[in-house]
Amino acid sequence: MKITLVAGARPNFMKIAPIIHAIKKSNAAHNSGIEYRLIHTGQHYDQKLSQYFFDDLNIPHPDANLEVGSGSHAVQTAKIMIAFEQELLANPCDYLLVVGDVNSTLACTLVAKKMGITVIHVEAGLRSYDLSMPEEINRMATDAIADIFFTTTPEAGYKLTKMGCDTDRIYFVGNVMIDSLISNLQRLQQPSVWKDLNLKGGDYYLMTLHRPSNVDEEKNLQQLIALLGEQAADKPILFPAHPRTQKQLQAIGLPDNVHMVEPMRYLEFIYMVKNAFAVLTDSGGIQEETTYLGVPCFTLRENTERPETITVGTNELIGTNPDHIIKAFKILKSGNWKKGKIPLLWDGHASNRIVEELLGM
Ligand code: UD1
């Protein structure tokens, strides 16, 4: 079986890593004969958003890097499509496996599907139904034409059936990102900023903000950070900032207790999540990582494609309304934040289940 694997942007790397490790394990143990080719589209190219993740997660050097770089959504998606078509013409495969919801996911799906290649989507069926988010468009369009769907929750499978997918093409396997988390828990590294800021376990907030809706309007970003800084006044907020957020922050003063740092390596970032008092974020994946680790999470968005992190886990959808933020801080500080549980099959074995299913195809 020849399979091409695609990874393009930071949130892809922790999803593709355990799948590669599971393929290698299966090939070594059972002579499974899965031939894979790993393609990096180059959507993310900064060392801090890309290479550090390859290093920390032991991802093999990609067989090809399409080096598409940044651009508008149309430019980036088109550049990936043009380069990926050449890649597939030169290196034909039976299956394309894509993960998540970034522009690389959709661009490569479109190309492969039109070339008659069977497309496998890992983390299929997530829906916020908010089409102002580019990721939602990527998720819906990918799922509309993919052939095989691996899901993180039963609800994601239900959403796929609602849009007409055959149930026998949907496999509830669990969460590959949590595979990465579990397999690296013993390898976490304390970042140097821990000592620099004299941080203590359970006594700081960790914050990430990079959604265009939160960071692109300078005034909104400033008001949001000022409010979060004020509400968290008794503790420092560590703020590893995405390049686009850093750009915006150049013109904005930060409250004294908000400490902006460069994007962190995977092993350092998860260390900081695990030991945080609470996490303030607009990320998708971090809602899942905090749920697994049992750390309170404020999602600073109006909707989520990951509802189990709320119904089962420690996440709450707070949005950006100041009244809601203030109320959430009150509950958190009173010690009454919900405890949460770990969703079904988030057990570190999702990638093994995926490989088992692949071998059966
Ligand atoms: C992408 C994903 C998003 C994910 C995020 C995580 C899409 C639509 N979005 O958003 O789902 O949560 O990654 O990081 O695919 N830039 C750099 N260095 C890089 C890459 C980007 O400085 O290596 C800067 C550029 O100015 C670029 C901007 O960040 O224009 C946005 O990058 P882009 O890849 O378009 O989207 P992200 O916001 O990173």
Side-chain angles (χ1 to χ4, degrees):
M1 165 193 272
K2 280 194 181 173
I3 183 163
T4 293
L5 314 173
V6 167
R10 181 170 60 177
N12 284 168
F13 304 135
M14 50 291 253
K15 296 169 192 168
I16 212 73
I19 297 173
I20 295 177
H21 299 319
I23 290 176
K24 283 183 164 181
K25 203 171 76 184
S26 173
N27 280 345
H30 311 296
N31 208 6
S32 307
I34 304 178
E35 277 180 50
Y36 76 88
R37 230 178 116 70
L38 174 62
I39 308 304
H40 191 327
T41 63
Q43 175 175 345
H44 280 176
Y45 44 86
D46 275 1
Q47 191 180 37
K48 294 188 184 78
L49 298 187
S50 179
Q51 189 56 45
Y52 282 174
F53 287 78
F54 276 71
D55 296 343
D56 277 5
L57 296 164
N58 292 319
I59 305 175
H61 193 70
D63 296 286
N65 189 324
L66 309 181
E67 294 181 349
V68 298
S70 299
S72 68
H73 284 273
V75 167
Q76 189 174 62
T77 306
K79 276 172 130 180
I80 298 169
M81 288 181 70
I82 293 166
F84 191 59
E85 186 177 47
Q86 294 307 312
E87 157 61 31
L88 288 181
L89 286 169
N91 300 284
C93 62
D94 309 308
Y95 295 92
L96 168 72
L97 183 146
V98 292
V99 296
D101 55 16
V102 301
N103 287 343
S104 303
T105 310
L106 173 61
C108 295
T109 296
L110 280 167
V111 172
K113 188 68 189 170
K114 288 193 172 182
M115 292 172 79
I117 295 165
T118 303
V119 176
I120 301 165
H121 186 201
V122 175
E123 205 186 80
L126 298 191
R127 293 290 182 275
S128 66
Y129 299 109
D130 175 359
L131 288 169
S132 69
M133 282 179 70
E135 292 82 2
E136 183 66 6
I137 299 172
N138 292 342
R139 288 189 280 263
M140 291 180 89
T142 300
D143 286 340
I145 57 174
D147 299 283
I148 294 161
F149 307 93
F150 288 119
T151 62
T152 51
T153 62
E155 187 170 339
Y158 171 69
K159 286 174 179 158
L160 289 167
T161 54
K162 260 196 2 190
M163 61 174 262
C165 299
D166 289 345
T167 47
D168 56 3
R169 293 191 290 137
I170 302 168
Y171 301 86
F172 168 41
V173 289
N175 192 324
V176 289
M177 200 185 63
I178 300 301
D179 289 2
S180 268
L181 180 62
I182 293 173
S183 65
N184 285 294
L185 274 179
Q186 305 306 319
R187 302 176 60 229
L188 301 183
Q189 290 169 8
Q190 188 182 80
S192 57
V193 68
W194 185 276
K195 289 210 171 79
D196 297 347
L197 294 178
N198 198 17
L199 297 176
K200 292 182 190 65
D203 204 27
Y204 63 89
Y205 292 87
L206 181 67
M207 175 162 83
T208 78
L209 293 171
H210 73 282
R211 294 276 158 221
S213 58
N214 280 335
V215 307
D216 282 359
E217 280 293 326
E218 207 175 284
K219 197 160 151 257
N220 291 352
L221 179 62
Q222 183 164 29
Q223 284 173 351
L224 179 61
I225 292 182
L227 176 64
L228 294 170
E230 181 192 292
Q231 288 299 308
D234 56 331
K235 300 187 198 309
I237 300 182
L238 187 71
F239 182 20
H242 183 285
R244 76 184 303 144
T245 315
Q246 284 190 26
K247 237 180 261 170
Q248 285 298 92
L249 287 172
Q250 277 165 6
I252 297 177
L254 291 173
D256 287 347
N257 61 329
V258 176
H259 305 277
M260 191 182 85
V261 292
E262 291 292 317
M264 294 180 128
R265 308 180 69 105
Y266 180 77
L267 295 176
E268 294 183 342
F269 185 74
I270 299 296
Y271 182 96
M272 295 309 298
V273 175
K274 186 166 182 276
N275 290 292
F277 177 57
V279 172
L280 318 171
T281 190
D282 59 10
S283 153
I286 296 170
Q287 298 173 48
E288 298 182 341
E289 288 160 339
T290 47
T291 275
Y292 184 82
L293 293 169
V295 175
C297 179
F298 289 24
T299 292
L300 304 167
R301 286 169 42 190
E302 304 307 326
N303 49 57
T304 179
E305 60 290 338
R306 293 164 161 90
E308 291 74 9
T309 59
I310 297 172
T311 53
V312 181
T314 48
N315 183 29
E316 285 290 1
L317 203 53
I318 310 298
T320 54
N321 178 319
D323 292 343
H324 298 169
I325 292 177
I326 292 167
K327 194 171 153 213
F329 270 101
K330 261 194 199 140
I331 297 171
L332 179 71
K333 289 181 193 171
S334 69
N336 290 320
W337 198 263
K338 60 187 176 180
K339 297 292 172 248
K341 293 198 181 84
I342 295 174
L344 204 61
L345 295 192
W346 291 19
D347 59 0
H349 300 294
S351 308
N352 293 333
R353 292 186 197 103
I354 288 174
V355 170
E356 270 169 38
E357 295 297 347
L358 290 180
L359 289 173
M361 280 170 198

